[in-house]
Amino acid sequence: MSTALLRMGIRGRRLIQFRFCSSLTTRQNSYYEHYDSGTRNLIDEFTTYCYQRNLERAMKTLNVMQRGKVFADSITYSELIKCCIASRAIAHGKRIHKHVFSGGYEPKSFLINNLLNMYVKFGLLDEAQALFDEMPERNVVAWTTMISAYAADSELKDKALEFLTLMVRDGVIPNMYTFSSVLRACQGPGILRQIHCSIIKVGLESDVYVRSSLIDAYSRWGESDNALCVFNEMVTGDLVVWNSIIGGFAQNCDGDTALCLYKQMKGAGFVTDQSTLTSVLGACTGLALLELGRQVHVHVLKYDHDLILNNALLDMYCKCGSLDDASCIFTHMDEKDVISWSTMIMGMAQNGFSRKALDLFEEMKDSGIKPNYITILGVLFACSHAGFVEDGQYHFRSMKKLFGINPGREHYGCMVDLLGRAGKLDEAVKLIHEMECEPDAVTWRALLGACRVHREMDLAAYAANKIIKHDPYDAGTYTLLSNIYAKSQRWQEASMVRNAMKNKGIKKEPGCSWIEVNKCIHTFIVGENSHPQISNIIRELKQIIWGLKEVGYVPDTDFVMQDLEGEQMEDSLQYHSEKLAIVFGIMSLSSGQTIRIRKNLRICGDCHVFAKLLAKMESRSIVIRDPIRYHHFQDGFCSCGDYW
C-alpha cells in the first residue's frame, strides 16, 4: 500500500471516529446540561470506550465516575454490559449493576433487562431472580428472559411454567419468544396441550417460531398426530417449520414419517439446508438405511466443510455398520471436534473393532482434543465388548484424574458389563454397591446379562428384582430371567416367571428384523406370515439349513425358551426373524452385496452360528445390528469374536 493511500486511510478512520463521538455528544447534550465541561469530557471518554468495547479503560473511567457520582445514559451502560457478556467479565458486570443503582440514578427498563440478561447468560439465576424481584416495572422482555432461563435448566423447568402463570396474572401478554421458551419446559403432553390453548387465545398459533416449537414439543412427547396436525394447519409453507417437523419425527417418533415428509418438502419446491439434511441423516441412522443415507450424502457434498453435517454422516455410517465409509469421511475431514472423535471411537467399539477404538483414542489425545463424557463411554464400551478387563479398569480409574470426568451411570454400567462377562461377578456386584450415584435399571440389567452368560441363577433373580423395583412392567427383564431358567432347563421357574408376566398383563416384545432391498424396507416378525414371499422364503430357509447341517451346523436348542422336545425345538429356531430376513436378502440381492439386517432384540446364539456358517458358505458379508452392538459376519467369523 502506498504512503498516500495509508494516510488517506488514517484520516478516514479519524473522520469516522470524530463523527461517531460528535453524534454521541449531540445525543447526550440534553442529558448532560447540568454537568461542567470537565465532567462532560469524562462521560464522553467513558462513552467512547464503551462503544469501542475497550472494557478495561471503560471500567477505570467508571471508577472515577462512581467516586464523583457521575452517570452516563442507559444506552451507553447497555453497550458496556454487552462487552462484559462477551468477555465473561462477571465481576465487572456486578460493578456496573451496583453503579447504576446508586446515587439516585434511575436506570431505564431496557437497561435493567440487559442486566437481567447478563446474569442469565452467566448462569447466575439467583442474582437474576433478585434483580427481577426489585424491578419497579416488569415488561414482556423481563418475564420472557426469566422464563427462558428457567426453561433451559433441567432442574427448574417447573419454575418456567410457574412464571408464565404469574406473568399472565400480572397483566402482561406473552409473545412468540415467551411461548417458544416455555414450550421447552413442558413436562408432559397434558401441560403441553394447555399451553397450546393459551397460544391460540392470544392469536400466536400461526407464528412460524411458535408453530415450530409446538411441533418440537409434541414430537418430543411422542404426540405424532398432534405434531402433524399443527404442521398441516400451515397456511403457507416455511422452511423453519418443515425442518421442525422432519427433525421432530427423526429424533422422537417414526423415522419413516420423517423421510416421507422430506420427500414432500422436496416435492413442494423447498431447497434443503444443513438443518434439514442433519435431520434426514438422523432418520436414516435410526432406521439403518445405508443406501438412502448414501443418497443424502450426495446433497451434503455442497456443504463439504460443515462440521455438524460431517459428524452426522459419521454417525450414520457407523450406525449403519459401514465403517469403511465412516473412516473415509473421518480421514478427509478438515476439522474434527470432540464429537467427531467420540463418534468414531464409539462406532468402532459398537461394530466389534475394539482394539482400533482404543488406538483411535490414543490418536485423539495426541491431537490435543480433550475427551469428554461420551468419549470415555466409548472407550469403556470397547473394553466391555472385547473383554479387555485391565484396559477397562485403567481407563475407568483414570478418567477423573486425567480428564476431570466423574463416572456416570453409563460408565458404571460398562464396567459392570465388563467384569460380569469376564466372570468377575463378585467384583461387579461390589462396584455397584460402591457407585457414587444410585444404580438404575440399566446398571442392574448389565449384571443380569452377565448372569445369563454364566448361568448364575440366584444372582440373576437378585438383579431382576432390583430392575423390577425401578420398572415393574419391564417385559425384557421378565423375559431374560425366564430365558436364563429355560437355558438351564429349569422349566418350572421359567413357567412361574411367564405366569407372573401374564398376571400383570406384561407382553413380551416379538422378535422383529428389517432389511432394505431396492429402497424398500421389508419387515419380518417371528410368528407372523404377512410377508408376500414368506412361502418361498421358508422353502429356501429349509434348504439352506439342510446345506449347513452338512458342513456341521447343529441347531442350538439351548436357545429354545419353551418346554418343547426333539424336532419341535429345532423348528421353533428356524423361524427367528433374522433368519428370515437373511434368507430374503440372499434371494433378493446380488452376490456381491452385503446383507444388512436391523433387529429389535439381541441376536441369539443359534442365529449367530447360523449367520457365521452361512456367510462362509455363500461367500457373503452379513451385518446384523441389534440394540446392543453390530455383528459383521464374513468367512465364518464374526467381528465380535463370539464375545457378546
Side-chain angles (χ1 to χ4, degrees):
M1 182 183 290
S2 69
T3 304
L5 286 173
L6 182 60
R7 286 172 179 167
M8 287 176 64
I10 293 172
R11 284 198 298 271
R13 286 196 296 274
R14 285 175 178 168
L15 180 60
I16 291 170
Q17 187 174 13
F18 171 77
R19 287 175 177 170
F20 165 71
C21 293
S22 297
S23 66
L24 290 177
T25 303
T26 301
R27 174 170 58 81
Q28 295 167 349
N29 272 341
S30 60
Y31 185 77
Y32 303 142
E33 285 178 352
H34 60 286
Y35 288 133
D36 59 32
S37 60
T39 303
R40 289 184 184 181
N41 289 337
L42 177 66
I43 295 171
D44 286 342
E45 183 180 292
F46 172 71
T47 302
T48 301
Y49 290 145
C50 289
Y51 277 88
Q52 288 178 344
R53 299 295 175 92
N54 190 332
L55 182 58
E56 292 307 316
R57 289 195 173 185
M59 293 306 297
K60 286 180 181 178
T61 309
L62 182 74
N63 289 339
V64 178
M65 293 167 60
Q66 178 74 16
R67 289 194 295 270
K69 295 184 179 180
V70 175
F71 298 94
D73 66 356
S74 291
I75 296 176
T76 303
Y77 289 123
S78 295
E79 289 298 316
L80 185 56
I81 290 168
K82 292 177 186 176
C83 188
C84 289
I85 293 172
S87 303
R88 299 292 300 170
I90 298 174
H92 288 339
K94 288 183 175 181
R95 282 171 57 197
I96 297 167
H97 179 184
K98 182 179 179 181
H99 172 68
V100 299
F101 278 90
S102 66
Y105 183 78
E106 296 181 1
K108 302 289 186 183
S109 292
F110 71 84
L111 174 55
I112 303 177
N113 285 337
N114 280 327
L115 283 168
L116 200 64
N117 178 59
M118 176 191 74
Y119 283 126
V120 167
K121 290 284 177 62
F122 289 155
L124 302 173
L125 295 192
D126 289 341
E127 285 84 347
Q129 180 68 66
L131 176 58
F132 181 82
D133 291 339
E134 294 174 2
M135 290 179 70
E137 178 188 350
R138 303 185 188 108
N139 58 16
V140 66
V141 176
W143 282 102
T144 300
T145 299
M146 293 304 299
I147 287 171
S148 178
Y150 285 128
D153 191 311
S154 60
E155 296 181 0
L156 296 172
K157 291 184 182 294
D158 288 342
K159 195 83 172 175
L161 298 169
E162 177 187 327
F163 261 56
L164 179 65
T165 302
L166 293 173
M167 176 183 184
V168 175
R169 288 178 183 172
D170 205 35
V172 181
I173 300 175
N175 63 17
M176 64 190 77
Y177 303 110
T178 317
F179 282 119
S180 295
S181 298
V182 82
L183 282 167
R184 297 199 305 269
C186 291
Q187 295 297 299
I191 295 175
L192 173 55
R193 293 188 196 102
Q194 291 178 35
I195 294 174
H196 191 173
C197 291
S198 299
I199 289 169
I200 295 171
K201 285 180 181 178
V202 298
L204 285 173
E205 70 274 15
S206 298
D207 180 83
V208 168
Y209 294 102
V210 173
R211 189 182 293 274
S212 176
S213 298
L214 272 171
I215 290 170
D216 289 339
Y218 276 125
S219 299
R220 188 168 64 251
W221 287 103
E223 298 271 308
S224 55
D225 290 341
N226 284 327
L228 275 174
C229 184
V230 173
F231 174 75
N232 290 330
E233 287 174 355
M234 279 196 306
V235 178
T236 56
D238 186 279
L239 184 60
V240 173
V241 182
W242 275 105
N243 285 341
S244 292
I245 191 72
I246 292 171
F249 273 87
Q251 294 175 24
N252 306 295
C253 301
D254 185 355
D256 288 328
T257 306
L259 296 176
C260 290
L261 287 165
Y262 172 62
K263 293 175 183 176
Q264 290 179 32
M265 176 183 174
K266 296 273 288 181
F270 283 89
V271 178
T272 56
D273 62 7
Q274 292 99 320
S275 178
T276 319
L277 293 171
T278 302
S279 296
V280 174
L281 283 171
C284 295
T285 301
L287 295 171
L289 300 178
L290 178 61
E291 294 309 316
L292 184 56
R294 283 177 172 151
Q295 292 177 43
V296 178
H297 187 174
V298 174
H299 297 287
V300 173
L301 293 177
K302 62 181 176 181
Y303 303 107
D304 191 38
H305 302 290
D306 189 288
L307 180 60
I308 294 175
L309 272 176
N310 280 331
N311 284 341
L313 276 173
L314 279 182
D315 193 44
M316 184 272 294
Y317 280 124
C318 284
K319 289 180 178 173
C320 287
S322 183
L323 265 294
D324 290 340
D325 288 315
S327 297
C328 183
I329 296 291
F330 184 77
T331 301
H332 291 93
M333 285 174 67
D334 295 329
E335 178 187 2
K336 300 183 184 79
D337 64 0
V338 65
I339 297 174
S340 316
W341 287 95
S342 300
T343 301
M344 279 304 298
I345 290 169
M346 183 64 82
M348 291 287 186
Q350 287 179 322
N351 281 276
F353 304 102
S354 293
R355 181 50 62 190
K356 288 184 178 180
L358 298 183
D359 291 342
L360 196 62
F361 178 57
E362 296 303 317
E363 288 182 37
M364 176 185 180
K365 291 189 290 185
D366 292 341
S367 75
I369 298 291
K370 183 180 178 181
N372 65 10
Y373 187 99
I374 301 299
T375 317
I376 303 300
L377 184 60
V379 169
L380 295 179
F381 196 93
C383 294
S384 74
H385 280 265
F388 298 155
V389 176
E390 291 183 3
D391 287 310
Q393 289 177 323
Y394 167 76
H395 290 299
F396 182 76
R397 287 194 301 262
S398 63
M399 60 187 288
K400 175 65 182 298
K401 181 180 178 181
L402 296 181
F403 309 114
I405 301 170
N406 290 314
R409 287 189 179 91
E410 294 91 345
H411 300 108
Y412 279 105
C414 280
M415 288 304 298
V416 169
D417 188 57
L418 171 61
L419 294 170
R421 288 174 186 274
K424 300 177 180 291
L425 291 168
D426 290 340
E427 290 184 41
V429 173
K430 184 173 181 289
L431 183 63
I432 291 176
H433 291 307
E434 291 174 353
M435 285 177 64
E436 296 178 7
C437 47
E438 180 71 20
D440 61 358
V442 177
T443 309
W444 290 110
R445 282 192 193 102
L447 181 63
L448 182 59
C451 293
R452 176 188 63 83
V453 174
H454 297 287
R455 302 191 183 189
E456 286 285 343
M457 298 296 108
D458 294 335
L459 188 56
Y462 172 73
N465 286 327
K466 290 288 187 180
I467 298 169
I468 291 168
K469 284 183 180 179
H470 286 278
D471 188 356
Y473 294 92
D474 178 41
T477 297
Y478 288 97
T479 302
L480 185 53
L481 185 59
S482 172
N483 291 351
I484 291 171
Y485 285 133
K487 193 173 181 180
S488 298
Q489 297 187 356
R490 292 169 61 171
W491 303 114
Q492 186 175 357
E493 288 94 332
S495 178
M496 288 174 63
V497 174
R498 289 198 297 270
N499 287 335
M501 290 180 68
K502 184 178 180 181
N503 293 335
K504 290 186 178 182
I506 301 171
K507 293 184 179 180
K508 176 179 178 264
E509 183 180 9
C512 184
S513 296
W514 298 266
I515 181 171
E516 180 185 8
V517 174
N518 297 326
K519 303 179 186 178
C520 182
I521 305 297
H522 295 261
T523 304
F524 296 90
I525 302 174
V526 67
E528 287 192 11
N529 297 321
S530 56
H531 193 279
Q533 298 185 49
I534 192 65
S535 298
N536 293 333
I537 294 169
I538 290 176
R539 189 181 305 114
E540 182 70 18
L541 173 58
K542 288 181 177 180
Q543 292 179 0
I544 287 174
I545 288 175
W546 279 112
L548 290 177
K549 284 182 176 180
E550 291 180 1
V551 295
Y553 170 62
V554 178
D556 189 347
T557 54
D558 276 353
F559 293 92
V560 177
M561 301 312 168
Q562 47 189 316
D563 193 0
L564 301 176
E565 295 182 0
E567 291 184 0
Q568 284 182 306
M569 300 181 86
E570 291 190 17
D571 287 343
S572 70
L573 290 171
Q574 286 186 16
Y575 306 114
H576 281 192
S577 63
E578 55 265 56
K579 287 191 178 80
L580 298 173
I582 291 170
V583 172
F584 179 69
I586 290 174
M587 294 168 57
S588 306
L589 300 173
S590 60
S591 58
Q593 287 184 273
T594 299
I595 296 172
R596 300 181 186 276
I597 310 294
R598 181 171 67 94
K599 69 185 307 283
N600 64 331
L601 303 176
R602 289 182 65 161
I603 186 172
C604 78
D606 179 70
C607 289
H608 197 267
V609 172
F610 174 87
K612 283 197 301 182
L613 294 175
L614 184 58
K616 183 176 183 179
M617 186 174 79
E618 293 284 329
S619 299
R620 285 267 198 174
S621 291
I622 301 172
V623 179
I624 297 181
R625 168 185 169 184
D626 69 19
I628 306 297
R629 65 178 303 158
Y630 303 74
H631 298 266
H632 294 251
F633 300 96
Q634 194 164 17
D635 298 327
F637 297 96
C638 178
S639 60
C640 74
D642 297 339
Y643 191 89
W644 89 99

